[in-house]
Amino acid sequence: MPRRTVQEVTVQDVQKRRNPNKHYVYIIKVLWSDGSTETIYRRYSKFFDLQMELLDKFPVEGGQKDPKRRIIPFLPGKILFRRSHIRDVAMKRLRPINEYCMALTQLPVYISQCEEVRVFFETRPEDLNPPKEEPIGKKKSGDTSSTDLLLLDQYVAVTDYEKQESSEIGLHVGQVVEVIEKNESGWWFVSTDDAQGWVPATCLEAQDDPDDFSLPGDEGGFTLT
């Protein structure tokens, strides 16, 4: 029996989660070759990991040797906003990620049906019983509850770190980063002025007084996982 493949992907909404800590997931509807339709939930950082896997596996199609030959779509990078409500931020990133998924499924079959793509969109145990939380896009337009504000934790690099893999970023002592996701493995997904990626948590220390700190030209900026 042939293994089923992804036929169509639609990113429908964004949902706030509170366990094990506050984070955000994209609600994704996946249509499979066997006719089944399933709903899955993925963090932005998981899309980032998939993108890195594809670029490593298909360097020519990723444009590493010749940018003009790139066919793998670009993943929407970090989006900085001034202090605003998370619902607005979520909806602005929703469309480009949906377009990324659509473009991914339209690539040649050796990419669109590769193991990495199939595993990413395959339903996982945690997708079967999601927490009963209201999707962000379903909130009333007049709802401006302060609970929707998302300000990322800022940390300072206490040691230099040289990236070892394409999914990581380098750090230098004194550099300030915003932590998007804290993984239990000891690796944190962080954002800097011009990059985002994974770094060892041991290289970072919490800001003493983050309220008094702002990056040049950035007042209260934040991003969405």
Side-chain angles (χ1 to χ4, degrees):
M1 183 177 178
R3 176 173 287 180
R4 69 176 187 169
T5 56
V6 177
Q7 296 297 297
E8 186 177 317
V9 175
T10 306
V11 183
Q12 298 181 312
D13 214 326
V14 180
Q15 186 181 68
K16 180 189 294 183
R17 296 281 177 85
R18 293 178 172 83
N19 292 306
N21 46 50
K22 188 172 74 172
H23 63 280
Y24 299 85
V25 295
Y26 290 92
I27 304 174
I28 306 163
K29 184 173 73 173
V30 183
L31 173 64
W32 293 89
S33 56
D34 61 6
S36 62
T37 300
E38 298 168 359
T39 300
I40 64 173
Y41 305 83
R42 298 289 182 270
R43 291 187 179 197
Y44 172 78
S45 62
K46 299 304 179 185
F47 280 100
F48 178 86
D49 289 344
L50 171 65
Q51 180 78 336
M52 292 302 101
E53 290 176 359
L54 293 177
L55 293 177
D56 284 344
K57 186 171 185 176
F58 304 106
V60 173
E61 294 83 349
Q64 294 184 31
K65 297 182 179 180
D66 182 357
K68 294 180 181 179
R69 297 183 63 183
R70 177 172 183 143
I71 59 174
I72 293 177
F74 288 93
L75 178 68
K78 71 171 187 172
I79 302 177
L80 287 175
F81 296 87
R82 298 194 182 281
R83 188 183 300 261
S84 107
H85 289 89
I86 189 60
R87 180 179 63 83
D88 300 329
V89 180
M91 301 317 293
K92 286 183 179 180
R93 180 170 255 178
L94 184 65
R95 182 178 176 180
I97 288 188
N98 184 54
E99 292 174 348
Y100 170 81
C101 289
M102 292 174 60
L104 204 59
T105 59
Q106 294 169 6
L107 290 174
V109 294
Y110 69 92
I111 301 178
S112 64
Q113 297 181 16
C114 71
E115 184 72 1
E116 288 79 4
V117 172
R118 187 191 66 80
V119 169
F120 179 83
F121 290 110
E122 191 70 69
T123 302
R124 302 172 185 175
E126 58 267 27
D127 295 323
L128 299 177
N129 294 295
K132 304 295 183 183
E133 302 201 34
E134 186 179 23
I136 293 174
K138 300 293 178 61
K139 292 202 172 188
K140 297 178 181 179
S141 59
D143 183 3
T144 57
S145 169
S146 61
T147 59
D148 278 348
L149 284 173
L150 173 64
L151 296 177
L152 298 179
D153 293 334
Q154 291 183 327
Y155 281 72
V156 181
V158 293
T159 61
D160 292 333
Y161 179 71
E162 185 174 342
K163 62 182 290 186
Q164 306 295 318
E165 298 181 9
S166 58
S167 60
E168 301 173 12
I169 62 172
L171 297 172
H172 57 80
V173 175
Q175 183 177 8
V176 176
V177 303
E178 293 179 319
V179 177
I180 297 175
E181 179 182 335
K182 297 178 180 179
N183 193 283
E184 294 178 356
S185 66
W187 288 83
W188 289 1
F189 189 69
V190 305
S191 173
T192 67
D193 271 346
D194 53 9
Q196 58 186 3
W198 297 95
V199 299
T202 53
C203 295
L204 301 174
E205 188 175 272
Q207 279 275 86
D208 290 334
D209 193 357
D211 291 337
D212 292 338
F213 182 88
S214 62
L215 294 173
D218 176 27
E219 299 173 3
F222 60 87
T223 187
L224 173 70
T225 54

